[in-house]
Amino acid sequence: MTKNKTQPRSISVIDFIAEVQPERRRKEAAQLDEMFRKTTGYDPVMWGTSIVGYGRYHYVYASGREGDFLATGFSPRKAALSIYIMPGYADFTSILQRLGKHKLGKSCLYINKLEDVDMGVLTELVRAGLDELATHWPVHPA
């Protein structure tokens, strides 16, 4: 059985955020880290080389594939901030309508600038995503 490509690493989240470029993105990453810590109650862990994750869950699919993955988190990419909400955004339309300027992927929300979104609504979305995930798989500290 193959492992997930994205695995937890022992890199310091604080050190990672301190190196994020440009400065605006670094400040946004620090702001997101603070919000995720408060919202989730979890200490962050680096997943792969650029994803800051909060919490973890173990999944087992009907196909037999299983693994561990971050419960929620973000990546301060140059093009946009990527916000990871598992298991996706299908049930969060009413929250997303109030969020502000964003784009969607399957389980990823893309934000160009944090000032384009309502942080209270983003916090609500992160909490709703964790609550929804917990109805499928138990969520644990990373």
Side-chain angles (χ1 to χ4, degrees):
M1 180 130 339
T2 60
K3 281 186 161 187
N4 282 333
K5 200 169 152 182
T6 305
Q7 294 289 319
R9 300 182 62 197
S10 60
I11 299 168
S12 161
V13 170
I14 300 299
D15 291 346
F16 168 75
I17 291 174
E19 297 296 320
V20 170
Q21 294 294 325
E23 182 181 356
R24 175 178 61 88
R25 192 64 85 211
R26 181 172 50 254
K27 289 178 179 178
E28 290 172 327
Q31 188 177 352
L32 283 172
D33 179 44
E34 182 180 345
M35 182 274 289
F36 273 94
R37 286 176 192 253
K38 286 179 181 175
T39 303
T40 67
Y42 298 131
D43 290 329
V45 170
M46 290 300 301
W47 285 75
T49 59
S50 64
I51 300 173
V52 181
Y54 303 81
R56 159 195 308 243
Y57 69 102
H58 182 80
Y59 60 86
V60 181
Y61 295 139
S63 66
R65 179 184 164 115
E66 66 179 285
D68 294 298
F69 205 62
L70 63 116
T72 190
F74 72 93
S75 182
R77 303 194 190 279
K78 284 187 180 186
L81 296 162
S82 298
I83 311 293
Y84 299 95
I85 307 288
M86 310 305 169
Y89 291 90
D91 300 322
F92 305 125
T93 303
S94 65
I95 299 172
L96 289 167
Q97 288 173 341
R98 297 182 284 116
L99 180 61
K101 190 175 176 183
H102 66 278
K103 292 181 184 176
L104 289 179
K106 183 174 178 171
S107 291
C108 193
L109 174 80
Y110 301 102
I111 300 169
N112 287 330
K113 296 180 282 187
L114 273 186
E115 66 189 36
D116 289 342
V117 299
D118 182 313
M119 286 300 290
V121 175
L122 182 58
T123 300
E124 180 184 346
L125 182 61
V126 168
R127 183 77 258 156
L130 275 177
D131 292 346
E132 173 65 20
L133 178 62
T135 68
H136 302 279
W137 314 105
V139 177
H140 306 282

